[in-house]
Amino acid sequence: MTVLLFFCLSLTAQKKAVIRELKKSYVTYPFSDPNPVPSFEKIYPYFRFDGFTATPVRKEWKVVQLENDFIRVEVFPEIGGKVWSAYDKVHRRYFLYNNRVVKFRDIAMRGPWTSGGVEFNYGVIGHTPNTATPVDYKLSTAEDGSVSCIIGCLEMLTRTRWNVEIKLEKDKAFFTTRSFWFNATATDQPYYQWSNSAVYAKKDLQLVYPGTAAIGHSGEVVQWPYDTAAGKDVAQWKENDYGGSKSVHVINSGKPYFGAYWKGEDFGMLHYTASDEKLGRKMFSWALSDQGDIWKELLTDSDGQYVEMQSGRLFNQNSISSSRTPFKQTQFVPYGADQWTEYWYPFVGTGGVTDANEIGVAGIDGAALRIAPLAFIKDTLYIRDRKGAVLYAQWAELQPLVTKTFEAGLSAGQWKDATVHLAGYTWTVNDKALQRPLTAPEDFNWNTGYGLYMQARDLTGLKNYPEAEIKVRQALEKDKNYVPALTLLSQLLYNRMQYDSAFNIAKRALSIDTYDAAANYYYGLSAFKTGRINDAIDGFDVAALTSGFRSAAYTQMSRIFFLQKDYTGSLKYAEKSLLNNRRNIEGLQLKYLVNRITGKENTAVEKVIAAAEPLNTFLLFEKYYRDPGAAAAKALAAPIRNEFPYQTYLELAIWYNQLGRIEEAKQLLTLSPDHNELQYWRAYLNRDQAAGTTYLEQALSADPDFVFPFREESGPVFDWAASHTKSWKPVYLRALLHLAKNNRSEARQLLEGIHEPLTFAPFYIVRASLDEDTALQRRDLERARETGNGWRYQNYLTRYYLSAGAYNKALQVIEPYCRKHPEDYINGMLYVRALMRNNRYADANQVLQQLQILPFEGAGEGRRLYEETKLVLALEALGHKKHTDALRYIKEAGLWPRNMGAGKPYDDLIDNRLEQFFEAVVRISMKREPEGSALLQQVAASDKAVASVNTLAQVAALVWLNRKEAAAALFDKWAAGQKDAGRVRWGKRFLNEPLIGRKPDLDLFTQLVRTITEAEDRPLF
C-alpha cells in the first residue's frame, strides 16, 4: 500500500531531481606516506602511497547527492569521483554495494583503493592513478529537471583527459554515466577503460551475464556459465566455492547488459549500454575460501563481501600474454575522441532476467511476461513472432519500479522466438549467441616478422615501451623492410625524443610504400620536431588521405599554419580536422583561438567544446583572458579540485607556449598554485626579462621534492636552466625526463657528471638505479641512507646487501631501525629475511609473531617467510632429536595466520609436499616407520605443479620408496622448466641413495627449504 500511494503521488506531482553537496562523517582508515623516489615503472610521473593503517579515525568527506522520487545516488569527488552508493527508494534497498566505512588498502596502481560503488578507470591499467584521490568536478541542473555531477581529470600517464557526467533525470529510475575521453596528444596512446561496479555477495546471488564463453586476462578460454570439470554453475555465486579468486570476461552474446539478481528478494541490479559502446563484461569475485574472505575485514567493517561487475571498451583486461590470442591490445589514435553512455538501475519482481534495455527488464515466468519499468510509459505492448505476426497485444500504463505482469498465455514454443515491443523498445526472449573465435590458429608462427610486430604493437599499447622496442627490432631482423614494424619503431623513437632517428626510420618506410598513412604521419611529426617544416606538411598531406589519420594530420597542419601566423590556413585545417572527428577538442580549441585573434564569433565552437568537456579549462581561461579579474580567476579555479591542480594549469600553459602564445602561458602560471616545476617554467617563459632570473633563483632555492617531469616540452626548459646555473638540480630533472622516455644512457651520463655532495636522498637512489658498477651503486645507496629521512633508505640499502649476498651487513642496517619501529611491517618483513639469511631463524620466528602485515592484492611474502622459518626450525629440532618440537613446527608451517597478510586457500590449492615429507622424515626418525611411510606415499602420489621446488621433496620421497625410475622421470620434468643450470645440478642430489635411512641429509633439506624465498633476493634494480 505504501508503494502504491507513493506512486500515486508521483503521478500527480512529479518533482524535479535534486542535487546537493554536503559533508558526511565516515569511519576512515586513511592512507599516507607518499614515496619521494621516482618510480620508472608503470606509475611515473605519479608516486605511490605506502602508509596504511588498522587504526580508524573519523573524517568528513565531500558527498554529492543526486536524488529523485525513485533512486538516490552518492558521489565522492575526493575519492576518485566514484559513485559511492546507489539506493532504490521505493524498495528501500541499495542496488550497488554501499560501504559504510572508508577503508583504504593497497590494491591500486598507486596503493590505496576502497571497495563499493562504481569507479571509473582510464589510461593504461586499473585501478588507475586517480582512483583514491580528488578529481575535478562541478554540479549542474538542466532545464529538463535532470541533475548532473561531472567529474574528470588529466590522466598524466597518457596525457589524455576524461570526464564522466553522472546524470539523474527527474522521472527515471536509472542513472547514467556519460564518458568522454580525449587523447590530447599528437601520438598514439595506450587504451584502457573499465567501469567497475560492486554488488553485495550473498548466497542467493545470481550473476546475470548473457554469453556462451568467457576469457581470462591472458585471453585463455574459460567455461561459462558451467564449469563442467568442476561440476559447477559459476553464474551462481555460491558455487564458486572452489579454486581461487575468479576474474572472467563473458563474451559471445549480442545482449549488451550484465548484472546481479538476488533470488530470495526477487531483486536485482543491471548495467546496460549499447553493444558498440562497451564490448567487455567482466565478473570478479574474491575466493570463497579464507584466501578471499580475509578481504571482508580488510576492506570493510560490517558490510560483508562484494562482487565486482565491470564494463570495458575492449573484450578483456588483457595482460601481455593475451597478445598470443585473438584478444590483443589497441591504441588511442592521436586526437581521438570517444564517448559512450552507461545505464545503471535496480529491478524487482521479474523472477529473473530474460532481456533488458534502457527502459526496463523483462522476465518470462511460464505463460506470463513481467516488465520492470524504469520510466512512465503509456503505450500498447506487443508480442510478435519471428515473422512479425502479433501473438499478444495489451494496453500498458507503467510507472518506474512498479513491475507489471502481462498474462500473455503463450506456450514455451511460442516464447522461443518471440520479441516484446513497447514504446519503441524491444526485448528479445532468446539469447543472441555469437561465434567470435576464441583461440588463435595452432599453426600461427609468433616468431615471424608479423608475429613479433604484433607483440611489439601490443606492448606499446600497454605502455611497455622498452620491451616493445626490443620486439619490434626483432621483427625487423626477420624482415628489415616490414613497413608496419618500421612505422612502429619510428613512433617509439619519437616517444623517446629521438626525432632525427624517428624521421629516418619513417623515411625508410615511405621508400617502400609512399602512401602508408601511419608512416607519413610519424614522418610529419618527426620532421616538424627537427625543423623540416615542408617535409612535415608533405607527410601530413599524404597521411590525410586515409581516414584513420586524417583528423590528426589536419590538426597538425592547423598548428603549423598557426605558428606561421597564417590564420586563414590554420582555421581551414582546424575545420577539416573536425569533418570525421567533430569532438576533436584540439581542433576546436585551435578554431576558437584563431577566431578570437581574428575577431570572429565563437559561440557555436564554445557550445561544442562545453558539451563534450564540461570541465574544459581552456574555455574558462579564455573567459578570464577576455575579462581578467578576481571573479574570472575564481571561476577558472572552481572546478580544478584534483590532486595536482598545478598540472592542469601547466598542461594548458604548455599548449599555449607551443603555439607561440607566450603571454597566455605566463598568465596561466601566475594563476596556478605554486610548485617547484612551475618555477622553472616561469623562469623559462620570462628568460628574456629580469623576472626570469628571479624565478630561476626561486626554483633553485628548493629541493625538487616530488618533481617528476614527463613532458617532452620540458626538455628545453631544464636545458636552459642548466645553462644558466651551476646547480645540479635542473640537470637532475633533465635526467628524470630522459628516464621517463626510456633514455637510460643519457640519464646516466647526466647524473654521473654531478660530483658535489648532496643532501637530497632521492637523487642517490635514482643514480644508484643506473650505476653499472656495484661499488658505485653501494656508494650511492649508503649516501641516500645517510642523507634521507624515513624507512625507505634503510630498505633500499638492506635489499642491496641481501641481493649481493652480504647478509651480515644487511642485518646491521635493518636491525637497529626495526627495533625502534616494530610497527613497520614492510621493513619488518625485510628484517625477518635478513635474520633468516644470517641463520637466526629463532629470532625471525619471534619477529614474525609480532608483525601485523596489511596485505596488498596478491600478497604472499609474509606467508612464505613464515613457512620457511617454521620448516628450518623443524629441521634444526630434528637434528637435535627434539621430535616433538619438530612436529610442532611442521604443523605450524601448514597454518595460515592472519597476521601474515594472506588468507588460506582451499586445501586442494595448497602445496604441502614439504610439510608432509618432513613430517615423514621425523616420524621415521622416531621409529614410527608405518606412519612415515604412509606420508611418503601421499607425497609420492601428488599431482601438484612440477615447476615448484616442492617437486624435489616428491623426488626424494620416490627415492625413499625405492621408485627410482619414477623419481628420475619427475626430476627430468622439473629440470626442463629450470633456467639455472646450477640449480639443476644441485637438484640432482635428491636422486641420490644417501637420502635413504635414519640419518637423512638435513643440510640438503635445509637448502631446499631456503629456496622458498631465495628467488626474492633478486637484484635491487
Side-chain angles (χ1 to χ4, degrees):
M1 181 64 70
T2 302
V3 171
L4 290 176
L5 177 61
F6 175 88
F7 277 101
C8 287
L9 292 172
S10 298
L11 283 169
T12 57
Q14 185 64 44
K15 295 179 292 187
K16 291 183 178 180
V18 296
I19 188 167
R20 60 181 72 91
E21 184 175 352
L22 49 99
K23 289 188 176 182
K24 293 178 70 172
S25 177
Y26 276 78
V27 171
T28 301
Y29 297 78
F31 62 91
S32 60
D33 198 9
N35 188 351
V37 179
S39 172
F40 294 95
E41 297 177 354
K42 282 190 178 293
I43 68 170
Y44 189 88
Y46 295 96
F47 49 81
R48 268 188 58 87
F49 293 93
D50 293 307
F52 298 89
T53 180
T55 304
V57 297
R58 271 279 171 186
K59 179 177 172 61
E60 283 193 336
W61 294 94
K62 286 182 182 178
V63 178
V64 176
Q65 285 186 344
L66 303 86
E67 187 170 9
N68 63 15
D69 288 339
F70 313 107
I71 63 175
R72 181 176 67 246
V73 179
E74 292 192 332
V75 180
F76 276 37
E78 294 176 313
I79 306 179
K82 75 186 302 183
V83 175
W84 193 262
S85 66
Y87 183 69
D88 177 346
K89 294 171 63 176
V90 178
H91 304 101
R92 298 180 181 178
R93 294 181 177 92
Y94 285 97
F95 60 96
L96 290 174
Y97 183 98
N98 174 46
N99 200 340
R100 287 174 288 179
V101 299
V102 178
K103 205 166 190 177
F104 293 103
R105 288 294 176 258
D106 190 355
I107 287 180
M109 287 180 72
R110 298 176 62 198
W113 185 83
T114 58
S115 60
V118 184
E119 69 168 308
F120 306 98
N121 297 280
Y122 303 79
V124 180
I125 192 172
H127 305 277
T128 50
N130 314 115
T131 194
T133 52
V135 295
D136 298 334
Y137 73 99
K138 65 180 287 188
L139 311 186
S140 175
T141 300
E143 292 182 1
D144 63 3
S146 64
V147 294
S148 299
C149 175
I150 300 102
I151 62 169
C153 218
L154 166 67
E155 204 287 315
M156 294 192 294
L157 293 173
T158 58
R159 291 182 75 177
T160 61
R161 298 194 300 266
W162 61 267
N163 70 76
V164 180
E165 180 188 21
I166 304 164
K167 182 177 181 180
L168 182 61
E169 299 184 40
K170 67 176 183 180
D171 55 355
K172 303 294 192 303
F174 58 71
F175 72 93
T176 57
T177 54
R178 188 220 66 165
S179 293
F180 180 79
W181 191 18
F182 179 62
N183 177 5
T185 75
T187 59
D188 294 271
Q189 294 295 334
Y191 192 91
Y192 178 99
Q193 196 289 317
W194 285 79
S195 301
N196 298 2
S197 64
V199 299
Y200 290 97
K202 301 178 182 178
K203 291 296 184 183
D204 64 342
L205 171 61
Q206 297 180 7
L207 306 171
V208 181
Y209 280 76
T212 58
I215 54 175
H217 294 269
S218 298
E220 73 278 17
V221 179
V222 180
Q223 290 187 316
W224 182 269
Y226 297 99
D227 184 338
T228 54
K232 299 284 187 178
D233 177 4
V234 293
Q236 309 298 317
W237 179 73
K238 66 181 180 181
E239 293 201 28
N240 286 273
D241 57 347
Y242 69 102
S245 297
K246 304 294 193 302
S247 186
V248 299
H249 310 82
V250 182
I251 63 171
N252 277 1
S253 171
K255 291 192 171 185
Y257 61 84
F258 62 80
Y261 175 66
W262 295 276
K263 188 174 182 180
E265 302 172 71
D266 198 4
F267 178 77
M269 160 268 169
L270 276 184
H271 167 280
Y272 173 87
T273 191
S275 58
D276 64 302
E277 295 189 351
K278 300 300 287 282
L279 301 176
R281 302 194 297 276
K282 176 189 168 185
M283 180 280 292
F284 171 82
S285 173
W286 294 107
L288 273 62
S289 63
D290 188 61
Q291 183 182 26
D293 210 45
I294 190 175
W295 289 97
K296 283 197 301 188
E297 64 191 57
L298 286 166
L299 290 168
T300 188
D301 282 351
S302 58
D303 291 301
Q305 192 60 280
Y306 66 94
V307 173
E308 282 187 25
M309 299 187 158
Q310 307 180 12
S311 69
R313 289 286 281 170
L314 304 183
F315 283 113
N316 71 334
Q317 296 166 349
N318 50 345
S319 61
I320 290 174
S321 54
S322 188
S323 182
R324 288 177 173 262
T325 76
F327 303 96
K328 294 178 167 54
Q329 179 62 24
T330 189
Q331 294 188 59
F332 204 174
V333 297
Y335 305 118
D338 280 1
Q339 182 173 303
W340 60 90
T341 301
E342 303 173 65
Y343 294 75
W344 312 82
Y345 53 81
F347 67 95
V348 68
T350 59
V353 179
T354 298
D355 199 8
N357 56 34
E358 302 100 308
I359 63 163
V361 177
I364 306 298
D365 184 10
L369 166 69
R370 295 175 179 173
I371 300 288
L374 304 169
F376 291 99
I377 299 173
K378 291 183 179 181
D379 195 16
T380 301
L381 179 143
Y382 294 97
I383 303 176
R384 292 187 169 93
D385 65 15
R386 64 192 305 176
K387 296 181 179 180
V390 175
L391 301 176
Y392 174 82
Q394 176 67 50
W395 177 254
E397 295 189 14
L398 304 181
Q399 305 167 28
L401 299 185
V402 176
T403 299
K404 176 81 170 181
T405 299
F406 298 89
E407 298 293 346
L410 302 184
S411 66
Q414 289 175 305
W415 277 123
K416 183 178 179 182
D417 295 313
T419 54
V420 179
H421 303 265
L422 179 64
Y425 293 88
T426 301
W427 289 269
T428 303
V429 175
N430 274 351
D431 190 14
K432 299 177 180 179
L434 305 176
Q435 301 181 58
R436 179 170 294 279
L438 304 180
T439 57
E442 291 184 4
D443 59 352
F444 184 85
N445 186 353
W446 295 99
N447 290 317
T448 61
Y450 180 58
L452 291 163
Y453 157 74
M454 282 198 297
Q455 294 173 63
R457 183 197 65 188
D458 284 10
L459 286 161
T460 303
L462 294 169
K463 210 174 187 293
N464 192 337
Y465 298 141
E467 289 295 321
E469 189 170 331
I470 291 171
K471 286 292 183 183
V472 78
R473 290 187 183 278
Q474 290 175 352
L476 290 169
E477 287 175 4
K478 300 282 185 179
D479 182 354
K480 65 181 180 180
N481 295 317
Y482 186 51
V483 171
L486 288 167
T487 304
L488 180 56
L489 180 58
S490 177
Q491 175 188 341
L492 291 168
L493 292 170
Y494 183 91
N495 289 341
R496 291 182 63 181
M497 305 185 296
Q498 297 183 6
Y499 303 122
D500 273 317
S501 297
F503 177 79
N504 289 327
I505 293 294
K507 188 176 179 180
R508 180 176 180 85
L510 295 183
S511 72
I512 300 165
D513 182 358
T514 199
Y515 296 114
D516 186 87
N520 274 285
Y521 182 74
Y522 280 99
Y523 175 82
L525 281 185
S526 51
F528 178 72
K529 285 288 190 180
T530 54
R532 303 174 172 102
I533 304 303
N534 292 333
D535 289 315
I537 293 174
D538 175 49
F540 295 138
D541 281 340
V542 181
L545 290 173
T546 305
S547 60
F549 282 90
R550 182 172 298 147
S551 180
Y554 285 148
T555 302
Q556 289 303 113
M557 291 172 74
S558 177
R559 292 174 65 92
I560 290 173
F561 286 118
F562 188 96
L563 283 166
Q564 294 175 339
K565 293 184 169 50
D566 179 352
Y567 298 125
T568 300
S570 180
L571 181 61
K572 178 177 73 173
Y573 283 104
E575 290 176 337
K576 280 190 170 186
S577 78
L578 302 171
L579 292 176
N580 65 335
N581 184 13
R582 62 191 179 93
R583 294 189 181 89
N584 173 6
I585 303 298
E586 180 77 6
L588 288 164
Q589 289 181 177
L590 284 165
K591 182 177 180 179
Y592 187 107
L593 191 55
V594 170
N595 284 345
R596 191 250 286 173
I597 292 170
T598 57
K600 295 180 181 177
E601 176 62 40
N602 258 323
T603 303
V605 183
E606 184 173 339
K607 286 183 178 179
V608 178
I609 296 175
E613 283 194 331
L615 299 170
N616 183 276
T617 310
F618 168 80
L619 290 181
L620 293 171
F621 174 72
E622 283 290 322
K623 290 179 181 178
Y624 170 87
Y625 190 78
R626 289 196 306 270
D627 185 17
K634 184 177 180 181
L636 170 61
I640 303 175
R641 316 192 204 193
N642 64 73
E643 182 184 4
F644 308 106
Y646 75 92
Q647 292 283 14
T648 302
Y649 288 88
L650 179 56
E651 186 78 359
L652 185 56
I654 290 173
W655 185 84
Y656 279 110
N657 179 61
Q658 294 302 104
L659 291 170
R661 304 298 296 185
I662 308 302
E663 288 306 312
E664 286 95 326
K666 289 179 180 180
Q667 284 198 35
L668 265 164
L669 297 189
T670 62
L671 296 169
S672 172
D674 201 14
H675 189 271
N676 188 239
E677 186 174 6
L678 259 65
Q679 291 166 344
Y680 283 98
W681 268 97
R682 289 170 181 153
Y684 179 72
L685 294 175
N686 290 277
R687 60 190 179 278
D688 296 329
Q689 302 170 18
T693 302
T694 302
Y695 283 129
L696 182 57
E697 290 173 352
Q698 291 175 356
L700 297 173
S701 67
D703 279 338
D705 270 320
F706 295 97
V707 181
F708 302 142
F710 64 98
R711 300 173 176 91
E712 63 270 18
E713 298 93 339
S714 295
V717 176
F718 299 125
D719 285 342
W720 171 84
S723 70
H724 285 74
T725 179
K726 294 182 179 179
S727 172
W728 60 273
K729 294 173 184 178
V731 179
Y732 167 72
L733 293 175
R734 180 62 161 146
L736 293 189
L737 179 57
H738 272 299
L739 285 171
K741 301 299 183 181
N742 191 32
N743 297 321
R744 291 178 61 86
S745 60
E746 291 87 342
R748 182 170 58 248
Q749 184 177 359
L750 286 169
L751 296 181
E752 286 177 349
I754 298 174
H755 303 293
E756 59 191 282
L758 308 179
T759 58
F760 186 63
F763 166 86
Y764 289 114
I765 299 298
V766 173
R767 193 166 70 177
S769 71
L770 300 172
D771 285 333
E772 295 181 342
D773 186 311
T774 57
L776 295 176
Q777 190 177 86
R778 184 183 68 250
R779 174 207 63 187
D780 279 340
L781 292 172
E782 288 174 343
R783 286 180 179 176
R785 183 197 177 202
E786 293 167 3
T787 58
N789 295 319
W791 60 271
R792 290 183 178 86
Y793 307 109
Q794 317 280 342
N795 187 283
Y796 277 110
L797 187 56
T798 302
R799 285 161 52 205
Y800 166 81
Y801 281 131
L802 285 174
S803 65
Y807 301 137
N808 187 48
K809 287 188 175 181
L811 190 58
Q812 289 173 8
V813 172
I814 200 68
E815 188 165 39
Y817 170 86
C818 286
R819 285 181 174 175
K820 291 180 181 179
H821 303 279
E823 77 289 346
D824 181 350
Y825 62 87
I826 296 176
N827 272 338
M829 288 189 287
L830 196 59
Y831 179 31
V832 168
R833 188 179 295 275
L835 288 168
M836 291 161 56
R837 297 298 176 262
N838 283 276
N839 293 315
R840 288 171 54 182
Y841 280 90
D843 292 334
N845 188 41
Q846 289 184 349
V847 174
L848 284 170
Q849 291 175 18
Q850 303 303 317
L851 279 185
Q852 185 64 48
I853 301 171
L854 289 177
F856 56 89
E857 188 173 6
E861 180 185 0
R863 176 60 177 67
R864 291 188 291 274
L865 295 172
Y866 170 87
E867 181 184 20
E868 178 175 322
T869 297
K870 295 294 184 179
L871 289 178
V872 170
L873 290 174
L875 291 172
E876 289 178 356
L878 176 60
H880 292 91
K881 301 296 184 181
K882 296 180 179 180
H883 297 120
T884 302
D885 289 345
L887 290 174
R888 173 171 55 83
Y889 283 127
I890 291 170
K891 182 178 180 181
E892 290 173 352
L895 301 178
W896 291 74
R898 283 290 183 93
N899 68 305
M900 290 296 97
K904 182 183 178 183
Y906 285 112
D907 287 343
D908 63 317
L909 298 180
I910 298 174
D911 189 347
N912 58 2
R913 284 177 287 178
L914 281 177
E915 284 81 1
Q916 287 181 318
F917 177 75
F918 291 137
E919 183 179 349
V921 173
V922 172
R923 294 194 180 279
I924 291 172
S925 179
M926 296 170 69
K927 300 183 179 180
R928 293 160 62 176
E929 297 209 12
E931 296 175 8
S933 180
L935 285 166
L936 290 175
Q937 294 285 357
Q938 290 182 40
V939 177
S942 174
D943 60 355
K944 297 295 182 184
V946 172
S948 168
V949 294
N950 291 4
T951 301
L952 294 177
Q954 187 172 351
V955 168
L958 288 164
V959 170
W960 207 308
L961 295 169
N962 203 28
R963 294 170 56 185
K964 298 178 183 179
E965 290 185 6
L970 181 61
F971 176 82
D972 288 342
K973 287 183 180 179
W974 173 83
Q978 304 301 309
K979 297 180 180 179
D980 186 345
R983 169 166 284 201
V984 173
R985 288 192 297 271
W986 167 78
K988 283 185 178 180
R989 295 176 61 187
F990 289 87
L991 291 168
N992 293 340
E993 292 288 341
L995 288 170
I996 301 175
R998 298 188 183 279
K999 291 185 178 180
D1001 190 339
L1002 296 182
D1003 288 338
L1004 180 60
F1005 291 160
T1006 300
Q1007 291 178 44
L1008 175 62
V1009 173
R1010 287 174 176 163
T1011 62
I1012 293 174
T1013 64
E1014 72 175 10
E1016 296 167 1
D1017 291 346
R1018 52 190 175 274
L1020 182 58
F1021 300 111

